Amino acid sequence: MSSNIQIENYMKKHFKGTFLGCFCADDLPNNPPPNSNLIANYSDRDDSDGGTHWVAMINLNSDNGDPSLFFDSYGGDADFEDVVLQKQTNFKRYMDRHSGGSYGHNNINIQSRDGDACGHYAVHAILSQSIPSLTGQKRSANKAWSSFTSCFNTPEENDKLIKQMIKM
């Protein structure tokens, strides 16, 4: 799995929008500025596991007309339970509070279950400002992901390609 330092360094080089950084599940920023983006880990700050799974929160506190988005490469919503840690995070409450109560999320699994590319997928979601398949909100075009996912048959193939695309 990518480290927070690798992700933050990559985003500094390649993302021109507001990227707040990488955060633990229990340490999300209180008042993210409009149209900001962040990557969060299911692990809490004091967990000794070194981090389990990265997700992206996109276009928080939107004032640009685009919906806020929650992205999990396993296709889970913000209230999805982490199966490794066997715990619920505060991501749903956070998204409800910083999306105007309505946000889109992807509903398809694109990552292999034993893969370690979640950070790469989260970075791509923020760079493209899009997610593979939406529920809750609709966007007129989702070209960034449809072109990416159209050539795959398996999540294992997705993992290989995303690591080639996003080199951290």
Side-chain angles (χ1 to χ4, degrees):
M1 180 168 55
S2 305
S3 74
N4 61 315
I5 294 168
Q6 290 172 307
I7 292 170
E8 288 172 353
N9 286 340
Y10 189 90
M11 293 301 284
K12 282 178 190 173
K13 287 182 184 176
H14 300 282
F15 186 63
K16 303 302 179 213
T18 304
F19 179 67
L20 301 178
C22 296
F23 299 89
C24 297
D26 64 342
D27 198 26
L28 298 172
N30 288 329
N31 297 306
N35 312 316
S36 58
N37 306 272
L38 63 86
I39 294 177
N41 199 285
Y42 266 87
S43 295
D44 289 338
R45 186 178 4 166
D46 295 331
D47 289 347
S48 60
D49 56 25
T52 57
H53 182 61
W54 294 113
V55 296
M57 298 178 199
I58 302 165
N59 203 33
L60 298 169
N61 293 326
S62 173
D63 68 0
N64 63 9
D66 287 333
S68 296
L69 302 172
F70 179 84
F71 171 77
D72 180 343
S73 55
Y74 289 139
D77 191 0
D79 62 354
F80 188 68
E81 180 181 341
D82 184 287
V83 294
V84 174
L85 295 175
Q86 297 180 349
K87 73 172 191 174
Q88 209 75 37
T89 67
N90 62 349
F91 296 156
K92 180 167 180 18
R93 202 168 47 246
Y94 192 81
M95 288 300 297
D96 286 343
R97 194 170 53 233
H98 298 293
S99 67
S102 177
Y103 60 92
H105 69 90
N106 66 302
N107 61 353
I108 59 169
N109 175 33
I110 60 172
Q111 180 182 336
S112 64
R113 286 290 172 195
D114 59 348
D116 62 355
C118 53
H120 293 77
Y121 288 113
V123 164
H124 184 62
I126 290 175
L127 292 176
S128 67
Q129 293 289 290
S130 185
I131 58 179
S133 179
L134 292 172
T135 60
Q137 293 280 347
K138 293 189 177 178
R139 284 203 172 173
S140 58
N142 200 349
K143 294 176 185 167
W145 284 100
S146 61
S147 63
F148 175 76
T149 58
S150 65
C151 58
F152 299 110
N153 294 321
T154 68
E156 290 78 15
E157 290 175 298
N158 294 346
D159 291 358
K160 288 177 189 172
L161 184 64
I162 196 73
K163 285 183 173 184
Q164 290 172 0
M165 289 175 56
I166 308 290
K167 294 183 174 146
M168 287 192 265

